Amino acid sequence: MNKEREMKTLVIAALVISVVAIGVGFAAFSTTLQINGTATVNTAGKTWNVLFTAVEKTGASTEGIDATVPSISNGTAGENKTKTAIGTITAAFTAPKQKLQYKITVTNSGTYNAKLTAASIPTLETITVTGTGNDAETDAANVKKHLKFSFTKADESPVTPETDTLAAGTTQDYLYTIEYEDLTNAAELPKAQVSISIPQTTLTFSQAN
């Protein structure tokens, strides 16, 4: 009976993720010109524009998970869009083996090639799990033990700063995946709601050499 009741009361709700904010850095020209006379550098018609353009839940997500599709907010308007961000995701997991996955698209619609110079991606250690009720601490520990998440490129290869590039006029898709893994011990199911907070992921792009 206890195991059956635990199964019925399993709720992992309010999965709050500040998913991704993108910081775009523009690298200044650094070439030194030493000539007899004058020189000019003409950047007319050149633009720097790297930003999020789409986010959608993929078919790999488990049916029945109540989850929002976050909005995209663009940064400063004009030639240099310095920051765009994807809003908070709220989701409710109700059973083991459920998965939630989003495809996030970054577009370089400017005329400069871009390079990923830095990335801050959460790890399991940085996730905050909070239980409720008399068994809050135990519930939180059991849930965290069975969480799995990742932030990768679309082909599931790792994100690699100083290596990944984004040519002018191209896009790069990323996958953000959150999964409550299967478990064999019913006693590890939470007895009450457990909330999970995953820190913000950030990507920084700069002008490629």
Side-chain angles (χ1 to χ4, degrees):
M1 288 295 294
N2 286 338
K3 291 182 180 180
E4 183 177 347
R5 182 163 54 250
E6 288 164 358
M7 284 293 290
K8 289 180 179 179
T9 58
L10 170 61
V11 177
I12 303 179
L15 172 59
V16 180
I17 312 166
S18 297
V19 181
V20 186
I22 184 170
V24 179
F26 189 92
F29 291 107
S30 60
T31 302
T32 300
L33 299 178
Q34 295 179 329
I35 58 175
N36 293 322
T38 61
T40 60
V41 177
N42 186 358
T43 60
K46 293 288 188 178
T47 57
W48 174 256
N49 196 15
V50 179
L51 68 163
F52 291 116
T53 53
V55 55
E56 61 179 316
K57 192 162 61 171
T58 75
S61 299
T62 304
E63 292 292 333
I65 297 179
D66 184 13
T68 61
V69 176
S71 60
I72 299 173
S73 58
N74 290 326
T76 305
E79 181 174 310
N80 295 326
K81 293 195 174 181
T82 57
K83 183 177 290 186
T84 66
I86 291 178
T88 299
I89 292 172
T90 300
F93 287 66
T94 57
K97 296 199 291 184
Q98 289 183 326
K99 177 191 291 187
L100 184 62
Q101 185 180 76
Y102 291 88
K103 182 177 74 173
I104 298 166
T105 302
V106 175
T107 301
N108 182 357
S109 58
T111 54
Y112 291 102
N113 294 333
K115 177 172 68 173
L116 182 67
T117 52
S120 176
I121 299 173
T123 63
L124 188 59
E125 289 72 25
T126 62
I127 292 177
T128 301
V129 182
T130 307
T132 58
N134 296 330
D135 298 290
E137 187 173 339
T138 299
D139 282 353
N142 285 335
V143 167
K144 190 168 186 177
K145 184 163 58 175
H146 294 286
L147 285 179
K148 182 180 179 181
F149 75 97
S150 62
F151 183 80
T152 66
K153 288 183 281 190
D155 60 1
E156 298 188 354
S157 62
V159 177
T160 51
E162 300 300 335
T163 299
D164 294 350
T165 58
L166 188 60
T170 65
T171 63
Q172 173 65 62
D173 290 332
Y174 297 91
L175 295 177
Y176 204 109
T177 307
I178 308 102
E179 184 175 3
Y180 183 43
E181 294 183 304
D182 196 11
L183 49 86
T184 57
N185 183 1
E188 293 180 344
L189 290 168
K191 298 177 178 60
Q193 177 175 302
V194 173
S195 295
I196 306 157
S197 179
I198 300 177
Q200 188 179 68
T201 299
T202 60
L203 305 175
T204 301
F205 288 86
S206 298
Q207 179 191 334
N209 294 329

